[in-house]
């Protein structure tokens, strides 16, 4: 294909904008101004030059009057914004961002790039969509199509590419400044938005602010100075809070260190901040905000008149979904594991590129991701009520289907006061009982020097898993910094998100099989056998696999309940599904 016919995919985000394109049949990100995620910030430098991205974001701290952020919130409004003494429409500000994206694409692809697919939130109205189109035009781009962000995310996962698929998908998108939840339905190439809910003023920025506010309060307590009144100090504090927040998504604690946060206090002395924040502490600070997102998830389900188990896929997108507590809340609310295989801040742009490729008539392969097919973790014990010891527990650090490479760490405490050594058993598997999983290796840490008041010590266990399945385990004693490292071999797998969904359905069916020990009527048994063989077919669509696994589970349940009418009804359903596969 002639490069100038290429259509680029653009996620024009409130916080970050991302560019993607199809290359060799696969959607890939193209960096803009050297950045994978281009901060959606535009500024005029003192030299008069227009700056977009991180330089503009940095400038915002020192010269907010020459800088514009979060322009997406104003798209479609008649307001203008001031920047370095000039006024601009929201379309014009967005066009500065789009222009840099277009130039970045031209530099990589060569030749003139004129066509784009741009994403917008599902709730954007006609005026807002029109404004987005105009922004593209100002930047010299013909906008071939505006697509909804949740639709783009589903496309990135390959859903809806095979025209026959019928899927209900819930997309939970928690970005920097906004939260959106959308329920969409894909069928025969059409995407229906069944419901949307969200909060236009809830996102990662709020989490940064909560953390910064906690530090500012502590600072005020100690020095009687409110850092919020000092523009630059507050901006630095917000930046440090964001860095710590990101660190806490993979580590149990993070250190915030700001030297000379104020160069002089009332007596002329410089002041600093140094503080360790624990993950649990941070999670508590934002618990109500995350709770609100779950309330909105429920509202979207209600509006769509669906229950959580009517949803066939849950996708997490937006950078803030990397916070581990989000994953846990979603599992609790939806009763299923959400998909996180595709980089949450890239998914929307990758999907825009897929749509662009479809329009341009390109061949597109499903995105392949390297994932860990099993959970990886360590054996732990816990003291329960009444001092009873529960041993042989499996605590996963890296969950199955996590994209590799990945690094996760967690803090553990010794059990017995004065304990000087710990044996670390590393397991791979899904069983909550550690010894039921596969032991990858074990090693000792010795010479611990407990110095907590209760005589216990804290250690951080860090798992680093590379694309080849090499697991580096590092254990660091918190107080002494004593470190032990081991290298182990874990399994790895290369799967498309659809393969993963299919494997999950198969696993679910296997579980119901294990639990059941009823005897079946020969007809039913033969049918179940046929279903099992069908589920093993590699080219079975994930949607059908799910439906079949569901029907099997229903039949087993009805047999156990001895409800013959139900058994018959579900068998009929299963027969229909199998006929559909066998065509
Ligand atoms: P938007 O769609 O609003 O443009 P993004 O999806 O790019 O935004 O999300 C940006 C937000 O994600 C920021 O608040 C950023 O701090 C947050 N973020 C990025 N990575 C992480 C992480 N590892 N843990 C927690 N938050 C993160
Ligand atoms: Mg976004």
């Amino acid at each position: 294909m002639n490069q100038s016919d290429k259509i680029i995919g653009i996620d024009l985000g409130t916080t970050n904008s991302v560019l993607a394109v199809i290359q060799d049949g696969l959607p890939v990100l193209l960096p803009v101004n050297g950045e994978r995620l281009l901060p959606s910030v535009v500024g005029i430098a003192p030299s008069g030059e227009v700056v977009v991205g991180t330089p503009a974001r940095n400038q915002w701290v020192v010269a907010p009057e020459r800088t514009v952020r979060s322009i997406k919130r104003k798209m479609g409004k008649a307001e203008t914004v001031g920047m370095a003494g000039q006024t601009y429409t929201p379309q014009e500000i967005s066009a500065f961002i789009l222009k840099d994206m277009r130039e970045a694409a031209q530099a990589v692809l060569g030749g003139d790039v004129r066509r784009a697919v741009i994403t917008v939130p599902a709730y954007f109205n006609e005026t807002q969509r029109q404004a987005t189109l105009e922004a593209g035009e100002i930047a010299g781009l013909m906008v071939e199509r505006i697509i909804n962000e949740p639709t783009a995310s589903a496309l990135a996962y390959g859903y809806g590419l095979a025209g026959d698929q019928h899927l209900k998908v819930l997309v939970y998108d928690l970005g920097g400044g906004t939260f959106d939840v959308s329920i969409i339905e894909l069928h025969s190439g059409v995407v229906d938005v069944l419901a949307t809910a969200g909060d236009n003023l809830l996102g990662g920025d709020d989490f940064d602010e909560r953390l910064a506010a906690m530090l500012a309060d502590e600072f005020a307590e100690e020095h009687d100075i409110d850092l919020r009144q000092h523009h630059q100090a507050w901006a630095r504090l917000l930046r440090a809070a964001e860095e710590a927040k990101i660190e806490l998504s993979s580590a149990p604690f993070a250190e915030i260190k700001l030297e000379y946060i104020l160069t002089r206090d009332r007596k002329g002395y410089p002041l600093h901040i140094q503080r360790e924040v624990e993950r649990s502490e941070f999670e508590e600070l934002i618990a109500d905000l995350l709770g609100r997102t779950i309330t909105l998830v429920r509202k979207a389900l209600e509006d769509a008149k669906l229950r959580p188990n009517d949803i066939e896929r849950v996708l997490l997108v937006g950078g803030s979904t990397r916070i581990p507590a989000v994953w846990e809340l979603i599992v609790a609310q939806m009763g299923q594991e959400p998909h996180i295989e595709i980089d949450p801040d890239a998914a929307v742009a990758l999907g825009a590129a897929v749509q662009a490729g479809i329009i341009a008539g390109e061949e597109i392969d499903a995105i392949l991701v390297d994932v860990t097919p099993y959970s990886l973790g360590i054996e732990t014990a816990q003291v329960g009520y009444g001092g009873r010891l529960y041993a042989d527990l499996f605590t996963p650090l890296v969950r199955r289907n996590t994209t590799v490479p990945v690094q996760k760490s967690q803090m553990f405490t010794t059990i017995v006061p004065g304990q000087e050594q710990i044996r670390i058993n590393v397991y791979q598997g899904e069983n909550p009982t550690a010894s039921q999983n596969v032991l990858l290796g074990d090693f000792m840490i010795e010479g611990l020097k407990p110095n907590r008041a209760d005589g216990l010590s804290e250690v951080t266990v860090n798992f680093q898993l590379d694309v080849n399945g090499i697991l580096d385990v590092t254990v660091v004693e918190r107080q002494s910094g004593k470190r032990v490292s081991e290298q182990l071999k874990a399994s790895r797998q290369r799967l498309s998100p659809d393969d993963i969904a299919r494997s999950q359905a198969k696993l679910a069916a296997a579980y119901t099989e294990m639990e059941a020990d009823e005897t079946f009527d020969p007809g039913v048994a033969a049918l179940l056998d046929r279903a099992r063989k069908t589920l093993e077919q590699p080219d079975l669509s994930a949607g059908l696999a799910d439906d079949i696994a569901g029907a099997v589970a229903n039949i087993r349940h009805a047999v156990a309940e001895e409800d013959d009418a139900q058994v018959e009804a579900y068998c009929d359903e299963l027969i229909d599904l199998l006929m559909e596969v066998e065509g």
Side-chain angles (χ1 to χ4, degrees), residues 58-293:
N58 293 339
Q59 169 180 303
W60 181 80
V61 175
V62 286
E65 72 289 348
R66 317 172 64 88
T67 320
V68 181
R69 333 192 307 165
S70 303
I71 194 63
K72 188 169 179 177
R73 293 218 167 97
K74 297 207 162 69
M75 288 298 269
K77 292 189 185 161
E79 284 172 52
T80 55
V81 293
M83 181 167 68
Q86 291 262 31
T87 58
Y88 295 90
T89 62
Q91 291 91 314
E92 286 164 345
I93 298 290
S94 299
F96 284 120
I97 300 169
L98 293 171
K99 203 170 122 309
D100 277 21
M101 301 189 104
R102 179 178 170 216
E103 283 164 8
Q106 292 184 158
V108 176
L109 302 172
D112 202 14
V113 171
R114 305 205 142 270
R115 307 162 73 194
V117 168
I118 304 182
T119 59
V120 298
Y123 63 78
F124 254 30
N125 63 28
E126 276 317 301
T127 321
Q128 292 167 304
R129 285 166 199 260
Q130 185 60 32
T132 306
L133 239 132
E134 289 160 7
E137 271 167 27
I138 298 169
L141 285 170
M142 188 161 91
V143 181
E144 292 283 337
R145 191 147 335 155
I146 298 269
I147 65 168
N148 291 331
E149 287 161 12
T151 305
S153 306
L155 279 174
Y157 272 88
Y159 305 157
L161 285 184
D164 57 347
Q165 247 178 20
H166 197 113
L167 270 188
K168 290 194 192 67
V169 183
L170 183 140
V171 183
Y172 176 107
D173 183 347
L174 188 57
T178 57
F179 168 65
D180 298 306
V181 51
S182 319
I183 300 173
I184 58 175
E185 185 170 19
L186 305 141
H187 50 93
S188 30
V190 182
V191 184
D192 283 334
V193 178
L194 302 182
T196 65
D199 186 334
N200 210 354
L201 292 170
L202 170 62
D205 294 347
D206 300 292
F207 308 156
D208 305 345
E209 208 170 306
R210 285 277 172 96
L211 189 50
M214 179 186 84
L215 293 163
D217 288 346
E218 289 175 357
F219 192 88
E221 183 101 333
E222 193 177 336
H223 304 290
D224 200 23
I225 297 174
D226 186 0
L227 289 177
R228 294 177 189 81
Q229 306 305 320
H230 297 258
H231 179 75
Q232 290 215 24
W234 177 241
R236 274 183 71 198
L237 194 51
L238 281 175
R239 282 299 276 278
E242 182 182 15
E243 277 168 28
K245 169 189 78 175
I246 290 174
E247 173 89 20
L248 288 171
S249 287
S250 57
F253 44 82
E255 181 167 82
I256 293 181
K257 200 168 168 187
L258 290 161
E259 295 194 321
Y260 299 99
I261 185 74
L262 283 183
T263 43
R264 50 187 63 231
D265 67 1
R266 295 202 178 83
K267 297 199 189 95
Y269 293 112
L271 295 175
H272 317 291
I273 287 182
Q274 183 163 10
R275 163 85 150 84
E276 197 178 77
V277 184
E278 284 190 12
R279 183 190 285 170
S280 53
E281 198 179 359
F282 171 65
E283 284 176 352
E284 201 150 304
L285 280 178
I286 63 165
D288 63 311
L289 298 176
L290 294 185
R292 221 154 92 205
T293 68

Side-chain angles (χ1 to χ4, degrees), residues 470-490:
I470 302 299
L471 176 66
D472 273 311
V473 182
T474 320
V475 184
V476 184
E477 192 197 12
R478 194 166 176 191
Q479 285 88 354
S480 66
K482 190 180 167 68
R483 166 190 297 265
V484 180
S485 302
E486 286 289 315
Q487 203 170 68
L488 306 166
K489 184 101 182 73

Side-chain angles (χ1 to χ4, degrees), residues 11 13-17 37 40 173-178 203-205 208 242 245-246 249 317-323 344-345:
D11 167 11
T14 311
T15 315
N16 295 306
S17 295
L37 310 181
S40 305
D173 183 347
L174 188 57
T178 57
D205 294 347
D208 305 345
E242 182 182 15
K245 169 189 78 175
I246 290 174
S249 287
V317 304
S320 300
T321 60
R322 289 214 182 85
I323 296 173
D345 32 41

